Amino acid sequence: MSATMTPVDDAPPPAAAEKRSVRLLRQLARPGAAALSGVLLYLSFPPRPLWWLAVPGFALLGWVLRGRRLRAGFGLGYLAGLGFLLPLLVWTGEEVGAVPWLALVAVESLFLAAVGLLTAAVSRLPAWPVFAASVWILGEAARARGPFGGFPWGKIAFGQADGLFLPLAAVGGTPVLGFAVALCGFGLYEGVRVLRAYRRTGALPRGPLAAALLSVLVPVTSAVAAQPLVSDAAEDGTATVAAIQGNVPRLGLDFNAQRRQVLDNHVHRTEQLAADVAAGKAAKPDFVLWPENSSDLDPYRNDDARDAIDRAAKAIGVPVVVGAVLTPDTGNLRNTLIEWDPRRGPVDTYDKRHVQPFGEYIPMRSFVRIFNSDVDRVSRDFGPGHEVGVFDLAGTRVGLATCYEAAFDWAVRDTVTHGARLINVPSNNATFGRSEMTYQQLAMSRVRAVEHSRAVVVPVTSGVSAIIRPDGTIVRESRMFTPDALVAEVPLRSSLTPATRLGTLPEAALVAIAAAGIGWTAARARRTRRPATA
C-alpha cells in the first residue's frame, strides 16, 4: 500500500507577491527619479535645442529631495549627478578610455551629492525653492574652484544659449542665469505640490502657493525685462574678422604626429583666403585668428615654422593671432597665443593662465599612472601665464581666453574690464573626436557674448568654429573636420553690462542666501532637539 504525497507549495500568495512588487517600486521611485532628473538636465545641453528640459529636470529633482533626510538627500543627489554628468562628460574618455571619464564623474558628482543633502535640509523652510536654487549655485561655485583649480563644465547656464532666460546672463552672469532656471523648476514642483494638497484637503495655503507662483513668474518676467540689455549695436564701429580652421591630419591624441602638418594646414587655408580676397570673392579682414595649437612647432625655435607663419601673414597683409606650444630649454611648456604682424613678425604674446589638469599638466603623476599610462603622453607639464590677454589688432582691442578658460567666469570677464571690444576663444578639439564637446564649448561662448555684450570669435582646429554677435547669434559656422575660413563683419562695443560691472557679487549674494537657509535650518533643528534634551 502506497501513500499519496501532496506537494507543498512554498510560493507566496499572489496578493503578498503583488504587495512586495508595489513596495519595491515605491522604494525605487525616488532613486530612479533622481537619475532621471539628471538625464533631463543633460538633455537640455547642446547640440540639442531642448534648453527648456532643465525646468522639469529641476522640478523632478525638487520632488525627489523635498522633505528627505540628509543622508537620503546625499545619495539621491549623487544619483542625479551621475544621471547628469555621465553622459555630459563622456567625451573626456574619447581617447584615453573609460577610467578617467568615470573617475572625473565620480568626483564631480560628490558636489551634486552635497547639493542634494543641503537641498533636503532647506526644503522644509518657507519659500524653500529660493534657498534650494541658491544651494545649486553654491554647488556650482564650489565645483568651479576645486579641486585642481575647479571644473565648471556643466554649469546650468551653459545649456541656455537658445533659451528664454539667456538675457539674465547680462544681469548677473552665469550664476544669475543658472539660479533663474533652477528657481523656476523648483517653483514649478512646489506649485504642483500645493495644488495637489488642495485637491486632497480642500484647504488652500495661500502663502506657499504665492511663493511657488512667484518662483516661476519672477525668473520669466525678469528675463523678459532684461531683454533690452542684449544688443548688437556697433557702439565703436565694426571690424571684419577671419577665423581659420585648418583641420588636422588625424583624430585623437596623435593629431599633430606629422611634423608641421597642422601648421601647414592653417598656412594654406590663410593663403587661400588671401587669394579669395585678391579675386574679390571674400572681404578683406582687419585681422585673422588661428586656433589654439595651430602651430605644432615652436616658431621661436624652428625657423621653418617661423617662415611659414610669416609667409601666411604677409599673404593676407593683416595681423594674425597664432596658437603655439612654446618649448623653452628649461621649465614648463607654455600654451601661447602670438600676435604676428605681417611686417614685424611676432610682436606680443599671451600665455594661457588656466591650464587644464590631467590634460596640460598631470597632478599626482605617479599615483595617476597606476590607473592609466596615458598620463605619460604629457611628458612635460605646461605652466600657467599670469597676465590678462588683450591684443591690439589693427586698432581693435581683442580679449583672449584660450579654450578651457572660457568655462571660467573670471578668465573672460577680466579681458573685458581691461578694454576688450571683442573676445577671441581659440580652441583645439582634435583630441575629442566627433563628440558633443565642441558644441558644449560653443554654447559657452554664446553665453559669454550676451554676458559681456561682446562679439566672440571661436577659431577651432577641427571642431566647430564660429563667429558670434554680441546678442549670442551665430553668423558664421564651420563643419567638423573641414578646412574653412569664416569671414564676417562684427560690431565692436565698449559699454559694460551689469554682469561685467558686478563681477562675483551676484554669485556671492546667492551663496549668502544659501548659507542663510542652511543656518536657519540648523537653528530650527537645535530648537526642536532642545526640549527632548531637557
Side-chain angles (χ1 to χ4, degrees), residues 184 212-223:
C184 195
L213 291 176
L214 288 173
S215 296
V216 175
L217 292 176
V218 169
V220 173
T221 55
S222 297

Side-chain angles (χ1 to χ4, degrees), residues 18 65 92 115 180 211-212 217-218 237 263 293 320 370 436 440 461 512:
E18 185 177 345
L65 295 174
T92 60
V115 167
L217 292 176
V218 169
L263 171 59
N293 303 154
V320 178
I370 297 173
E436 294 181 357
Q440 294 170 10
T461 51

Side-chain angles (χ1 to χ4, degrees), residues 245 429 438-439 442 458-460 462-466 477-480:
Q245 178 171 304
N429 303 139
T438 188
Y439 299 103
L442 178 59
V458 185
V460 180
S462 56
V464 177
S465 299
E477 183 176 357
S478 71
R479 295 195 303 270
M480 274 194 186

Side-chain angles (χ1 to χ4, degrees), residues 331-344:
N332 293 322
L333 302 175
R334 288 185 292 154
N335 189 339
T336 300
L337 299 178
I338 307 170
E339 178 185 350
W340 206 284
D341 186 86
R343 294 179 301 277
R344 297 177 292 161

Side-chain angles (χ1 to χ4, degrees), residues 119-322:
T119 300
V122 301
S123 66
R124 295 177 174 84
L125 297 176
W128 70 268
V130 175
F131 295 109
S134 300
V135 164
W136 183 272
I137 299 306
L138 170 63
E140 288 191 342
R143 281 210 305 131
R145 289 165 172 80
F148 309 116
F151 188 76
W153 213 279
K155 275 189 169 187
I156 290 301
F158 295 148
Q160 298 296 307
D162 290 303
L164 168 70
F165 301 100
L166 180 61
L168 291 172
V171 176
T174 58
V176 168
L177 175 52
F179 171 79
V181 177
L183 177 60
C184 195
F186 288 136
L188 177 63
Y189 162 67
E190 178 65 0
V192 171
R193 187 191 70 82
V194 171
L195 292 176
R196 289 188 64 190
Y198 169 67
R199 290 182 62 184
R200 289 196 309 268
T201 64
L204 184 62
R206 294 182 179 179
L209 180 59
L213 291 176
L214 288 173
S215 296
V216 175
L217 292 176
V218 169
V220 173
T221 55
S222 297
V224 174
Q227 188 63 45
L229 294 174
V230 181
S231 173
D232 64 353
E235 296 175 333
D236 302 286
T238 63
T240 300
V241 58
I244 300 298
Q245 178 171 304
N247 204 10
V248 295
R250 65 187 71 177
L251 280 67
L253 296 173
D254 296 319
F255 73 94
N256 63 353
Q258 293 176 243
R259 186 184 189 278
R260 235 187 77 175
Q261 186 60 58
V262 176
L263 171 59
D264 285 344
N265 286 354
H266 288 83
V267 168
H268 293 158
R269 196 61 191 83
T270 304
E271 290 175 331
Q272 183 180 340
L273 173 61
D276 290 342
V277 170
K281 297 178 181 179
K284 184 176 177 63
D286 296 310
F287 48 88
V288 175
L289 304 175
W290 285 9
E292 175 190 33
N293 303 154
S294 48
S295 176
D296 47 9
L297 298 174
D298 182 346
Y300 292 102
R301 299 173 65 88
N302 294 270
D303 290 339
D304 60 332
R306 183 185 183 101
D307 292 342
I309 298 170
D310 209 44
R311 186 175 72 248
K314 288 177 179 176
I316 196 65
V318 297
V320 178
V321 175
V322 178

Side-chain angles (χ1 to χ4, degrees), residues 445-463:
S445 294
R446 294 180 63 195
V447 172
R448 298 302 185 198
V450 173
E451 181 180 9
H452 301 293
S453 196
R454 296 291 186 273
V456 179
V457 184
V458 185
V460 180
T461 51
S462 56

Side-chain angles (χ1 to χ4, degrees), residues 310-377:
D310 209 44
R311 186 175 72 248
K314 288 177 179 176
I316 196 65
V318 297
V320 178
V321 175
V322 178
V325 174
L326 303 191
T327 57
D329 290 329
T330 59
N332 293 322
L333 302 175
R334 288 185 292 154
N335 189 339
T336 300
L337 299 178
I338 307 170
E339 178 185 350
W340 206 284
D341 186 86
R343 294 179 301 277
R344 297 177 292 161
V347 294
D348 201 358
T349 60
Y350 166 70
D351 294 334
K352 186 176 182 180
R353 291 176 291 163
H354 200 306
V355 293
Q356 183 183 352
F358 304 104
E360 292 173 307
Y361 77 100
I362 307 297
M364 307 181 300
R365 183 182 291 269
S366 58
F367 175 75
V368 175
R369 189 183 292 113
I370 297 173
F371 303 97
N372 196 309
S373 60
D374 281 321
V375 298
D376 291 322
R377 287 177 176 266

